[in-house]
């Protein structure tokens, strides 16, 4: 099946279709990880995005039931150089093609993904239209006049509060599009995890008397989630708070800082990050298109704790007066290195110190 990708600037790529036989439109982004395509595809932060994987062969170890990061992937499309139809791995239960078909996600293969990635690096990420067959530019460009949705967080967040039992501290996880990896890391530490929808109020969270607050990752522009700011402002003074990715950006906004869109974002499993206090460099897994604007931190109570080695952007902040910190990258990895996994232990220590301070 011939399938064509048109970019918003008129560039096109013609290849072969796999997965679901569907036309779609979304933001075209690239991911540089060599493995982890199942976790990437099912990461809620990729909602409404068409993912270009730079590794040339994808699908060779199949798909299994354990490595999904959400139950229903929300990515718009998967774009690869070559897709493997005969995976070989003892954990594999399905091919990538069958998985995409199951979730109604179209795929595109047999194109020059290196050329596409270089184009996005030079021009910045942009929207694309993926269609079966081949239309003219005049026929396609009218589709770009459609408004892009900005309700991604509402679509990927849980609709109800639920509890995962544990014998340790009670952690309120605010779900802006949380990866299951965050839940797994908290449960490894015996936490009782109460998962809340993205638009929960501070009053509803406090009824559960949490020992700590976790702000999850999620898709889209952090400025499209204004309901989170009063929640953060009210919870910060008394309850230890840890933000990851979108949660990090929301903490910055709630404290008066600003965020901006990166030209092509950070998406991969090998991004070096410098911890300013210790001088240690950690290899991290990242997936974000926005970052905190450094000059906007000058009149806020936040200080920079981590910085990206590649481009110098902010990768972590800490509050000067409240037990609040956040990072732009993913310490739960999946996929990627677990070098930064100790941040969950730091959060647990902060929770325990706060409990002792208040005499619990």
């Amino acid at each position: 099946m011939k399938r064509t990708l048109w970019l918003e600037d008129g560039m096109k790529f013609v290849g072969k279709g796999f997965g679901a036989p569907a036309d779609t439109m979304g933001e075209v982004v690239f991911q540089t990880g060599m493995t982890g395509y199942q976790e990437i595809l099912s990461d809620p932060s990729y909602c409404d995005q068409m993912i270009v994987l730079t590794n040339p062969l994808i699908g060779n170890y199949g798909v299994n039931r354990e490595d999904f990061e959400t139950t229903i992937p929300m990515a718009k499309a998967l774009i690869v150089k070559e897709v493997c139809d005969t995976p070989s791995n003892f954990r594999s239960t399905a091919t990538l093609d069958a998985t995409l078909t199951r979730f109604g996600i179209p795929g595109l293969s047999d194109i020059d993904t290196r050329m596409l990635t270089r184009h996005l690096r030079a021009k910045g990420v942009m929207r694309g239209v993926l269609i079966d067959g081949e239309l003219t530019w005049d026929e396609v460009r009218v589709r770009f006049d459609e408004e892009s949705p900005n309700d991604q967080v509402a679509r990927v967040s849980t609709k109800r509060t639920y509890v995962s039992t544990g014998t340790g501290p009670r952690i309120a996880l605010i779900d802006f599009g949380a990866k299951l990896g965050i839940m797994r890391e908290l449960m490894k530490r015996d936490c009782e995890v109460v998962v809340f929808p993205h638009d929960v109020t501070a009053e509803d969270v406090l009824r559960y008397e949490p020992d700590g607050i976790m702000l999850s990752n999620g898709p889209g522009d952090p400025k499209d989630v204004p309901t989170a700011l009063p929640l953060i402002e009210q919870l910060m003074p008394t309850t230890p708070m840890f933000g990851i990715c979108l949660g990090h950006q929301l903490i910055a906004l709630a404290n008066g800082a600003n965020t901006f869109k990166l030209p092509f974002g950070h998406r991969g499993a090998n991004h070096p990050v410098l911890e300013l206090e210790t001088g240690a460099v950690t290899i991290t897994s990242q997936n974000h298109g926005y970052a905190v604007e450094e000059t906007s931190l000058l009149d806020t109570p936040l200080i920079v704790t981590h910085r990206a080695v590649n481009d110098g952007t902010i990768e972590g902040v800490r509050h000067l007066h409240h037990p609040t910190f956040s990072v732009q990258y993913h310490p739960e990895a999946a996929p990627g290195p677990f070098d930064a996994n100790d941040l969950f232990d730091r959060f647990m220590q902060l929770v325990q110190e706060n409990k002792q301070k208040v005499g619990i």
Side-chain angles (χ1 to χ4, degrees), residues 245-263:
C245 202
L246 181 64
H248 158 79
Q249 297 160 12
L250 291 171
I251 285 174
L253 291 175
N255 282 280
N258 190 31
T259 56
F260 68 100
K261 188 169 186 177
L262 294 163

Side-chain angles (χ1 to χ4, degrees), residues 4 72 120 155 198 201 244 332:
T4 304
I72 303 177
L120 296 175
R155 282 186 278 137
H198 74 284
T201 65
I244 292 176
E332 82 287 351

Side-chain angles (χ1 to χ4, degrees), residues 115-155:
M115 180 181 180
L116 174 54
T117 299
R118 288 172 62 88
H119 186 73
L120 296 175
R121 278 184 59 91
K123 304 293 184 180
V125 296
M126 62 188 79
R127 290 185 301 168
V129 170
L130 192 62
I131 57 171
D132 286 337
E134 192 171 357
L135 301 180
T136 67
W137 171 242
D138 287 338
E139 293 173 310
V140 171
R141 64 181 177 182
V142 296
R143 303 194 184 188
F144 290 109
D145 294 332
E146 300 174 15
E147 289 288 331
S148 297
N150 63 353
D151 63 341
Q152 290 97 338
V153 167
R155 282 186 278 137

Side-chain angles (χ1 to χ4, degrees), residues 180-357:
L180 291 176
I182 295 176
M183 175 77 81
R184 285 192 289 265
E185 291 300 328
L186 293 173
M187 293 176 67
K188 280 181 188 177
R189 291 158 176 84
D190 297 321
C191 295
E192 177 183 309
V193 185
V194 187
V195 184
F196 293 94
H198 74 284
D199 55 355
V200 67
T201 65
E203 291 75 18
D204 287 340
V205 172
L206 291 174
R207 285 194 192 102
Y208 284 81
E209 300 181 346
D211 300 310
I213 308 291
M214 173 71 71
L215 306 180
S216 83
N217 63 292
D221 187 340
K223 293 176 183 176
D224 291 333
V225 199
T227 56
L229 305 189
L231 170 75
I232 295 169
E233 291 170 6
Q234 293 175 60
L235 295 177
M236 271 192 309
T238 58
T239 311
M241 183 178 292
F242 179 19
I244 292 176
C245 202
L246 181 64
H248 158 79
Q249 297 160 12
L250 291 171
I251 285 174
L253 291 175
N255 282 280
N258 190 31
T259 56
F260 68 100
K261 188 169 186 177
L262 294 163
F264 46 82
H266 299 173
R267 298 176 179 90
N270 59 349
H271 287 258
V273 169
L274 172 68
E275 184 174 14
L276 301 183
E277 184 177 358
T278 64
V281 173
T282 300
I283 304 302
T284 67
S285 179
Q286 300 198 11
N287 173 19
H288 60 275
Y290 292 81
V292 175
E293 185 179 283
E294 183 148 9
T295 56
S296 71
L297 291 174
L298 294 176
D299 296 321
T300 75
L302 300 177
I303 61 170
V304 179
T305 57
H306 297 76
R307 192 179 298 281
V309 173
N310 290 338
D311 63 8
T313 53
I314 293 173
E315 290 286 343
V317 296
R318 176 172 59 83
H319 201 287
L320 288 171
H321 313 300
H322 302 319
T324 296
F325 73 102
S326 63
V327 292
Q328 182 65 82
Y329 50 93
H330 287 268
E332 82 287 351
F338 289 92
D339 296 29
N341 197 249
D342 67 311
L343 289 176
F344 286 98
D345 296 324
R346 295 191 199 180
F347 179 48
M348 292 296 101
Q349 182 178 355
L350 197 62
V351 167
Q352 292 298 338
E353 289 173 354
N354 190 69
K355 290 177 69 174
Q356 294 171 6
K357 180 179 178 181

